[in-house]
Amino acid sequence: MRFPRAGFRAIAGACLALIPAWHAQAQSGDRPGEKQTPPPAHIKAPPAPALNPEAALKTLRVAPGFRAEIVASDPLLFDPVAMTIGPDGRMWVVEMRAFMPNVDGAGEDAPIGTIATLEDTNNDGRMDKRTEFAGGLMLPRALALVADGVLVAEPPNLWFMRDTDNDGKADDKQLVANDYGNPSNPEHSANGLLRGFDNWIYSANHTTRFRYERGQWKREPTAFRGQWGIAQDDFGQLYFNNNSVALYTDVLPAEYLLRNRNLPNPRGSNVQLARASEISVWPARVTTGVNRGYKILREDGTLPVLTAASGPAIYRDTLFPESFRGDAFICEPAGNLVKRLVIEERDGIPRVRNAYERTEFLASTDERFRPVNLYNGPDGSLYVVDMYRGVIQHRIFLTTYLRNQIKERGLEAPLGMGRVYRIVPENVARHPAPNLAKATPSQLVDALNHEGAWVRETAQRLLVERQEASTTSALRRLATNASRPVTRVHALWTLDGIDAIDWPTVTAALRDAEPRVVSTAVRVSEKFLTTDPDRTIKAWLERARWNEPAVVRQVALSLGEAIGNQADGALLELARQAGAQPYVADAIVSSVSSRESPFVTSLMATDDEATTANASPVLAVAVATVLQTGDVEESQALLDRLTQAKTSAWVRTALLDGIDRLIPRADDGSKRMAYLAVEPKALLTYASSGATDAPRAAQLAKFLRWRGSAVDMAASLAKLTPEQRALYDKGRTAFAVCAACHQDEGQGMKGLAPALAGSQWVNGSPQAVVRIVLNGKVDQLAMPGLGSALDDETIASILTYVRRSWGNEASPIDPRTVESIRGVVAHRDEPWSDEELQPLR
């Protein structure tokens, strides 16, 4: 992706001329001043010798009623991190063989990663034949079977590899993308490559989705999701996690929310299903060999919380008891276990809870058991990829404490081991796995009605990739008549994938008894907005009036795909009907991008009590979005309504709710500063009035800043730790690098550099502003990247100073944060655009 560079080099030259020669810092997981003590004398970690597969199998403690089986093991595979099973039953494995070859990570850049295929030639359930499909890769981490080839993630490259002469080895290699993460920070780089129900391929830790369509690759921006691994449920809803948070989900397909770049703190994507403190873990052994074990372990030496959550899967078959269907399974390699979480929905809000008390679904007494990915298998079982090694923590985050643990117990070696297990119920035969590679088109259509997720998804993929137009009639019947709702969903997306969606099928699907089938029908019928918008919108609204949350949310989102303001009347109706339902307000406001002010005016005309209760949350989100745009005139007009006598009480409440919504929250829920385009005189006047809610207005005003607003700097700086204050003081001097363009008081220069005082980027997430400094940014104005000239501590100090000056009061930035982000974007030589940065804001 390329961006215009008009004036870019001139600006870069002017700024870089002022940059002093700062010294780079060495990487370290240690925190300044933190005392790292060894485990207490009463905690004794048992030995951790490398075990052969059969011996390792005996260390696995599986939930009652289940057993583990070896599917594949060393020496047939090496350091596996991801896998998939093809239509012919072959297992494709990603081997990250150079990961942390020693405690210092020396040699990690060796191109020795491989993609291998494994086969079970004697049908005994265990792989016995290996073929190396592709080698010479640097830290590969994911793959997906696509058409006649394989999509392979080797950050920063995403390759499409093919075997054109049928010898089992790749001989054709095409570059799909060269901005797919990077290898310098394996814990925070793109991975996953999950094919969604909508025929797009999604990733964790990346903001692009890909699609293979008639021999061509397409790409679109999407939301950032998780850290390692990505999964979906029976209706295509995406799930992901990060090291310390068990599970997130997209209740709303996140791509819709990206349409409105000013929607503050969007809700509905990246929904956290439980706080980190709510999901405890229960290892089967002492786990002193974890990062910062000196401060987080229980009295008995076991890990109490997630620190390496990854590789999620949603169980979606019938081999396990029915109560397991739809549950989430999560890898925790640092604790040598796999968790089971029950997903529940209460009042429209999804949550998760531990399925077991003080135990886990799968845990090992072997410290080298490192589950890193989970999958639904074609036989109904749950597949577990075990990297099987002593060292799992990357050097960038390795502490001295963990280094000592590794050295003391000889965990660096051996390397090149690994296993894949399947978990199956006791005394239950695995489902026979069909050979879909040889299935006819009609058999593939029948396979969409299979009870297992792997079979259905593989069948859909093959039908779409082969563009099997001959199956259109059968698919249309399946979409409306299949007994399983999930089958009807697959049929609709398959029809969409072969461009065979017709209005009669949509009409029938909009009457389906299952709301999620209806939601799918709404999504696949968006194309009719260009040919017959009135009929389409009318049909959607008729079903939305049933008030089913899933349908209302999707209709609200899809209406935003209409041209201009064709759908605004329908959106107003939904706001008055169901705006108080969870996530509906965000869905509606995402659909009125650039038309928020007239929409707000229309919404304020609502007056009866029954509809104002629903309209109020939508009005609040719309108000926050108008304020976020930075339009002085519209912001002023909106705030002025607070003091106008004709303003209804419910509107005043919604206005205050909107201001509250604008104010960002830290991870702990505490409020940060929000920045307005204009002084909120009406709010300040209202705050000092005798109105009942004037105290609330006054409280909100404390978290607002605008250009020229006064801040008690002494009080602000007093909140900093000594280390943060030292960074601030260093940054005040180092800011000379930036002052030539942004000016001493951060007011910017018209036509050259934007103001830093009150900037959404300066006061937003460190993830965005650090990227801007490292690589630069383009929009109307260009910002040069300074990453090659400034070290991590200097960037952190400058940003800490800027984020704590001129009315800004955002959190300080630690040098380790800069270091981590630098590793993620090290491959990039282009500046960032607003569109790329918005999901990180």
Side-chain angles (χ1 to χ4, degrees):
M1 187 177 294
R2 298 285 169 181
F3 302 103
R5 288 178 173 264
F8 187 83
R9 288 188 175 85
I11 296 169
C15 294
L16 291 175
L18 300 172
I19 297 175
W22 304 102
H23 298 290
Q25 287 191 329
Q27 295 178 331
S28 173
D30 295 341
R31 294 173 179 170
E34 188 172 47
K35 186 178 181 182
Q36 300 186 27
T37 59
H42 73 277
I43 297 177
K44 303 293 185 183
L51 303 177
N52 65 43
E54 281 68 27
L57 180 65
K58 294 177 182 178
T59 72
L60 299 182
R61 305 290 183 261
V62 194
F66 291 87
R67 71 178 186 276
E69 300 176 348
I70 299 173
V71 181
S73 64
D74 50 86
L76 203 65
L77 77 167
F78 313 90
D79 304 298
V81 295
M83 58 156 277
T84 191
I85 297 178
D88 58 359
R90 285 187 298 167
M91 178 182 290
W92 295 73
V93 183
V94 182
E95 299 172 331
M96 193 187 284
R97 300 173 71 170
F99 177 79
M100 289 296 288
N102 48 66
V103 77
D104 297 311
E108 193 175 52
D109 57 351
I112 59 174
T114 47
I115 306 296
T117 59
L118 308 179
E119 299 177 60
D120 175 9
T121 61
N122 59 8
N123 296 316
D124 67 348
R126 187 161 175 172
M127 302 296 171
D128 52 59
K129 178 183 177 182
R130 172 189 172 91
T131 303
E132 189 167 297
F133 176 78
L137 300 171
M138 185 184 296
L139 297 177
R141 67 204 52 236
L143 84 166
L145 301 183
V146 180
D148 61 344
V150 185
L151 193 62
V152 175
E154 183 206 23
N157 299 316
L158 188 61
W159 302 103
F160 185 49
M161 300 182 181
R162 299 166 61 240
D163 169 20
T164 63
D165 57 7
N166 296 316
D167 66 350
K169 300 181 179 181
D171 49 54
D172 180 63
K173 187 177 180 182
Q174 304 168 25
L175 184 64
V176 177
N178 63 359
D179 59 352
Y180 191 79
N182 90 92
S184 65
N185 190 344
E187 292 191 24
H188 293 274
S189 195
N191 64 90
L193 298 180
L194 171 77
R195 188 186 184 97
F197 275 39
D198 60 1
N199 302 305
W200 285 91
I201 295 172
Y202 293 88
S203 298
N205 230 313
H206 199 48
T207 56
T208 301
R209 63 177 184 172
F210 298 89
R211 183 167 181 160
Y212 189 73
E213 200 169 80
R214 296 177 175 85
Q216 300 295 319
W217 285 99
K218 297 171 58 178
R219 58 181 292 165
E220 285 186 359
T222 186
F224 181 90
R225 296 180 176 92
Q227 187 171 347
W228 181 271
I230 185 168
Q232 61 187 341
D233 66 14
D234 263 346
F235 294 92
Q237 186 167 317
L238 298 177
Y239 293 82
F240 35 93
N241 54 17
N242 64 32
N243 278 175
S244 59
V245 175
L247 207 61
Y248 294 89
T249 189
D250 283 346
V251 177
L252 305 180
E255 293 70 36
Y256 291 99
L257 297 178
L258 298 181
R259 298 173 303 189
N260 194 334
R261 60 192 290 180
N262 292 305
L263 180 62
N265 316 312
R267 296 173 186 170
S269 69
N270 276 269
V271 175
Q272 185 173 336
L273 300 186
R275 291 189 295 271
S277 60
E278 294 176 325
I279 303 298
S280 55
V281 298
W282 301 96
R285 57 164 287 128
V286 169
T287 51
T288 55
V290 296
N291 230 16
R292 295 192 165 76
Y294 51 85
K295 63 183 297 184
I296 65 173
L297 297 180
R298 293 188 180 97
E299 182 65 19
D300 64 358
T302 60
L303 184 70
V305 294
L306 293 165
T307 65
S310 55
I314 308 299
Y315 184 73
R316 301 164 51 213
D317 212 309
T318 58
L319 188 68
F320 286 17
E322 178 61 27
S323 60
F324 282 71
R325 192 178 185 95
D327 284 358
F329 290 81
I330 308 296
C331 294
E332 173 42 281
N336 321 112
L337 57 88
V338 173
K339 294 192 69 63
R340 175 189 167 203
L341 299 171
V342 178
I343 301 177
E344 302 171 321
E345 184 173 305
R346 298 174 186 171
D347 300 322
I349 306 293
R351 300 286 294 168
V352 295
R353 60 174 174 83
N354 275 331
Y356 305 103
E357 292 292 335
R358 304 179 70 85
T359 187
E360 301 292 354
F361 177 73
L362 172 64
S364 175
T365 58
D366 182 0
E367 188 166 8
R368 296 173 188 262
F369 173 63
R370 305 294 192 182
V372 293
N373 253 317
L374 304 169
Y375 301 92
N376 286 278
D379 54 11
S381 62
L382 183 71
Y383 281 65
V384 182
V385 177
D386 173 15
M387 200 175 181
Y388 201 79
R389 50 172 32 241
V391 180
I392 200 73
Q393 180 74 65
H394 192 255
R395 60 178 173 79
I396 293 176
F397 306 102
L398 196 70
T399 58
T400 298
Y401 166 87
L402 183 53
R403 178 188 295 267
N404 292 339
Q405 287 282 313
I406 292 168
K407 288 290 189 181
E408 288 170 7
R409 298 209 302 285
L411 296 176
E412 286 179 284
L415 300 173
M417 304 177 79
R419 291 88 201 252
V420 176
Y421 298 102
R422 68 167 67 91
I423 310 300
V424 297
E426 294 278 13
N427 305 316
V428 176
R430 292 184 287 114
H431 295 159
N435 186 340
L436 295 183
K438 296 181 179 180
T440 65
S442 62
Q443 288 172 330
L444 289 176
V445 173
D446 291 341
L448 294 178
N449 198 33
H450 196 275
E451 57 194 8
W454 179 92
V455 176
R456 295 192 306 271
E457 290 176 0
T458 303
Q460 177 182 327
R461 175 174 72 83
L462 295 175
L463 287 166
V464 172
E465 290 174 349
R466 297 172 186 176
Q467 290 292 295
E468 294 287 1
S470 63
T471 63
T472 298
S473 296
L475 287 169
R476 289 173 177 169
R477 289 193 296 271
L478 206 62
T480 56
N481 297 321
S483 59
R484 291 189 177 92
V486 66
T487 298
R488 303 197 291 274
V489 169
H490 275 293
L492 287 168
W493 280 121
T494 305
L495 285 167
D496 182 73
I498 65 175
D499 197 23
I501 283 288
D502 65 324
W503 188 251
T505 302
V506 168
T507 300
L510 288 175
R511 295 194 297 264
D512 200 283
E514 169 54 59
R516 288 168 292 185
V517 175
V518 179
S519 299
T520 304
V522 173
R523 289 183 68 182
V524 301
S525 63
E526 288 173 1
K527 69 175 188 175
F528 295 112
L529 288 171
T530 58
T531 57
D532 197 343
D534 292 341
R535 178 180 66 173
T536 306
I537 293 171
K538 179 181 178 182
W540 291 353
L541 273 183
E542 286 177 354
R543 182 55 189 257
R545 290 179 185 126
W546 295 24
N547 230 23
E548 302 147 308
V551 176
V552 170
R553 292 194 298 259
Q554 187 55 53
V555 170
L557 293 169
S558 293
L559 285 170
E561 299 299 299
I563 298 172
N565 61 354
Q566 287 178 325
D568 284 4
L571 288 164
L572 280 169
E573 179 178 329
L574 285 184
R576 292 163 176 156
Q577 166 198 319
Q581 291 182 9
Y583 312 115
V584 170
D586 288 77
I588 290 174
V589 177
S590 77
S591 289
V592 294
S593 180
S594 76
R595 306 187 308 280
E596 294 92 349
S597 286
F599 186 78
V600 162
T601 300
S602 298
L603 200 54
M604 285 179 176
T606 303
D607 53 12
D608 65 282
E609 186 175 345
T611 55
T612 56
N614 284 310
S616 184
V618 183
L619 180 56
V621 176
V623 165
T625 305
V626 171
L627 296 175
Q628 184 72 51
T629 64
D631 186 289
V632 173
E633 185 177 338
E634 290 186 352
S635 298
Q636 188 72 66
L638 199 56
L639 294 172
D640 284 348
R641 290 180 178 269
L642 278 169
T643 55
Q644 294 172 358
K646 62 181 180 181
T647 302
S648 302
W650 81 270
V651 170
R652 285 197 182 92
T653 299
L655 287 167
L656 295 178
D657 289 344
I659 296 169
D660 197 0
R661 172 62 182 267
L662 179 69
I663 298 171
R665 264 65 169 179
D667 291 340
D668 62 2
S670 60
K671 292 180 179 179
R672 294 174 173 171
M673 290 297 159
Y675 295 82
L676 300 177
V678 62
E679 181 180 0
K681 294 180 180 178
L683 175 66
L684 299 176
T685 299
Y686 190 71
S688 60
S689 71
T692 304
D693 51 3
R696 184 189 181 201
Q699 186 65 26
L700 292 172
K702 293 179 181 179
F703 295 94
L704 299 178
R705 297 286 184 271
W706 54 93
R707 191 175 303 180
S709 58
V711 175
D712 186 342
M713 288 305 300
S716 178
L717 295 179
K719 298 175 183 177
L720 301 180
T721 66
E723 292 81 7
Q724 292 167 344
R725 180 57 190 265
L727 274 177
Y728 174 90
D729 290 338
K730 177 179 179 178
R732 181 162 46 189
T733 300
F735 182 69
V737 174
C738 315
C741 297
H742 293 286
Q743 301 297 285
D744 291 337
E745 298 300 319
Q747 70 267 33
M749 294 177 65
K750 187 173 182 180
L752 179 62
L756 300 180
S759 164
Q760 63 166 321
W761 302 113
V762 168
N763 294 285
S765 165
Q767 292 293 327
V769 71
V770 171
R771 280 170 167 80
I772 292 172
V773 175
L774 289 172
N775 300 106
K777 179 178 176 293
V778 289
D779 194 15
Q780 286 91 0
L781 304 174
M783 158 76 183
L786 305 179
S788 63
L790 301 179
D791 65 22
D792 299 335
E793 182 174 323
T794 302
I795 291 175
S797 68
I798 291 172
L799 289 177
T800 295
Y801 170 71
V802 168
R803 287 161 65 90
R804 217 69 180 183
S805 300
W806 321 303
N808 299 337
E809 202 171 10
S811 61
I813 291 182
D814 190 278
R816 287 182 302 277
T817 300
V818 179
E819 176 188 42
S820 175
I821 297 172
R822 187 192 291 273
V824 172
V825 303
H827 68 286
R828 186 182 179 104
D829 61 2
E830 293 289 332
W832 299 90
S833 68
D834 274 358
E835 288 73 18
E836 293 176 292
L837 292 170
Q838 284 294 336
L840 302 174
R841 188 181 67 187

